[in-house]
Amino acid sequence: MKTPNISFEFFPPQSLDASFRLWETVRELAPLDPSFVSVTYGAGGTTRELTHDAVQTIHKHYGLNVAAHLTCVDASREDTLAIAKDYAKTGVTDIVALRGDPPKGAAGFVPHEDGFSSSVELIEALAETGDFNIRVGAYPDPHPESADLDANVAWLKRKVDAGANSAITQFFFEDDTFFRFRDKCEKAGIDVPIIPGILPIENWKGVRKFAERCGTEIPNWLNDAFEKAVRDGREDLLATALCSELCTDLIDGGVEDLHFYTLNNPALTRDVARALGITPRVVLQDVA
Ligand code: FAD
């Protein structure tokens, strides 16, 4: 089996304790030599400064290629582009451009009166500057706001036509879901890399709730397996085994890149990476 390129998603810390957890995660996963890491932007645009600081620190201190998430929520076009330009000035030229989730409790996305009204508008504006490698979100299980899978793929095509260079998918549970989506994208003329987003399941109850909100299909066999594993206290073992199997099936089907949603917890991602044959780069001065 070919060893895949891997990348990681982190979220910015909102407390001292969370900061320690993030740095521990970065310290543990950086030696796995990720092709890039990304840092999320809180729902409702709530972590603007924290995301910025986490991106800069990871970029500066770990020398990793960092992709900064940027959304259209609750910000004018001018402010949003100013954030992106500031990143470019410091050498961070990778952006995950999203419409974004509304703040907690809001019924849906409402554009800021001077803001971008969709991800496509944000992508166009970033592409116009010529400064960025633009990544976007994609949804193998259709996004809750899309009419059906075809409409979902058609919208991704618009994002690519607007200037997206690659797409990272929402998490999904079965390889067939990804391959069906990849085939539809290919037929629709989408010719940029589509990187599967992989969620090692740390807490089944939480993941199930999140999946329901995102419109991610939950197979019955998976729910049954986790309910038994939770009962028997071997949730981590099942999570590692299933996630490694999903990744292996994706690689066997031609996937070359995997993006892990780490949730700032390195253990499961590290174990899955090891199962895929990816081991830490050892720096002699660290062990001498
Ligand atoms: P889009 O792709 O623009 O829209 C989502 C779907 O809605 C489309 O597939 C399409 O079917 C439909 N749609 C939307 N507008 C139209 C239209 N005008 N016409 C027709 N169909 C339309 N959220 C955050 O808040 N912060 C983050 O950091 C963050 N990171 C993410 C990273 C990844 C890899 C992914 C996949 C998602 C992330 N999200 C994040 C969640 C994301 O913001 C939500 O899923 C949001 O609801 C959609 O954003 P998007 O840019 O993917 O939307």
Side-chain angles (χ1 to χ4, degrees):
M1 188 179 72
K2 214 172 155 232
T3 311
N5 305 310
I6 54 172
S7 54
F8 306 124
E9 181 188 282
F10 305 127
F11 61 84
Q14 306 216 36
S15 67
L16 191 58
D17 190 44
S19 297
F20 279 107
R21 196 168 139 183
L22 171 63
W23 303 126
E24 182 59 29
T25 304
V26 177
R27 199 181 59 79
E28 179 120 10
L29 297 181
L32 296 178
D33 209 12
S35 44
F36 71 97
V37 301
S38 77
V39 181
T40 63
Y41 199 79
T46 46
T47 63
R48 193 175 308 177
E49 279 80 26
L50 292 170
T51 298
H52 180 270
D53 292 352
V55 166
Q56 298 296 356
T57 307
I58 296 171
H59 177 62
K60 223 165 52 199
H61 294 290
Y62 288 87
L64 295 172
N65 178 20
V66 189
H69 292 215
L70 188 59
T71 76
C72 309
V73 179
D74 202 26
S76 67
R77 288 166 185 251
E78 203 181 327
D79 286 350
T80 308
L81 286 179
I83 296 171
K85 279 186 191 142
D86 186 50
Y87 279 132
K89 255 196 261 162
T90 58
V92 174
T93 53
D94 233 311
I95 298 280
V96 181
L98 301 144
R99 186 200 67 188
D101 276 332
K104 258 192 194 140
F109 172 76
V110 179
H112 181 280
E113 56 179 356
D114 299 317
F116 294 111
S117 68
S118 72
S119 58
V120 168
E121 285 189 4
L122 171 61
I123 296 158
E124 273 167 356
L126 291 172
E128 213 166 276
T129 68
D131 290 336
F132 299 103
N133 177 32
I134 304 169
R135 304 177 189 272
V136 295
Y139 299 88
D141 285 309
H143 186 279
E145 289 171 51
S146 71
D148 54 32
L149 191 52
D150 287 336
N152 193 45
V153 170
W155 186 252
L156 179 59
K157 174 81 165 74
R158 287 198 51 189
K159 298 204 286 190
V160 171
D161 291 345
N165 304 107
S166 64
I168 303 171
T169 77
Q170 184 58 281
F171 68 90
F172 52 89
F173 294 121
E174 293 183 306
D175 59 327
D176 279 354
T177 309
F178 176 79
F179 290 130
R180 220 175 302 129
F181 179 68
R182 189 184 64 177
D183 290 350
K184 270 192 178 289
C185 288
E186 228 173 85
K187 275 202 192 111
I190 295 170
D191 56 1
V192 301
I194 299 177
I195 304 173
I198 305 293
L199 179 66
I201 299 171
E202 191 190 330
N203 169 333
W204 176 241
K205 226 170 138 186
V207 166
R208 197 173 54 192
K209 242 196 233 155
F210 189 42
E212 281 162 4
R213 252 202 346 251
C214 298
T216 301
E217 188 95 14
I218 304 169
N220 287 336
W221 65 263
L222 186 69
N223 192 47
D224 292 347
F226 267 102
E227 285 190 350
K228 281 186 197 133
V230 171
R231 185 193 63 199
D232 300 344
R234 47 180 184 80
E235 203 176 356
D236 276 6
L237 207 60
L238 180 68
T240 309
L242 287 181
C243 190
S244 307
E245 192 183 342
L246 174 64
C247 293
T248 304
D249 291 343
L250 290 169
I251 296 163
D252 285 346
V255 165
E256 294 181 352
D257 302 86
L258 298 168
H259 186 65
F260 287 91
Y261 294 113
T262 71
L263 304 182
N264 293 4
N265 180 356
L268 286 177
T269 298
R270 181 202 55 213
D271 291 350
V272 172
R274 189 169 296 160
L276 300 176
I278 301 163
T279 48
R281 217 172 359 99
V282 178
V283 178
L284 264 185
Q285 75 190 47
D286 292 346
V287 290

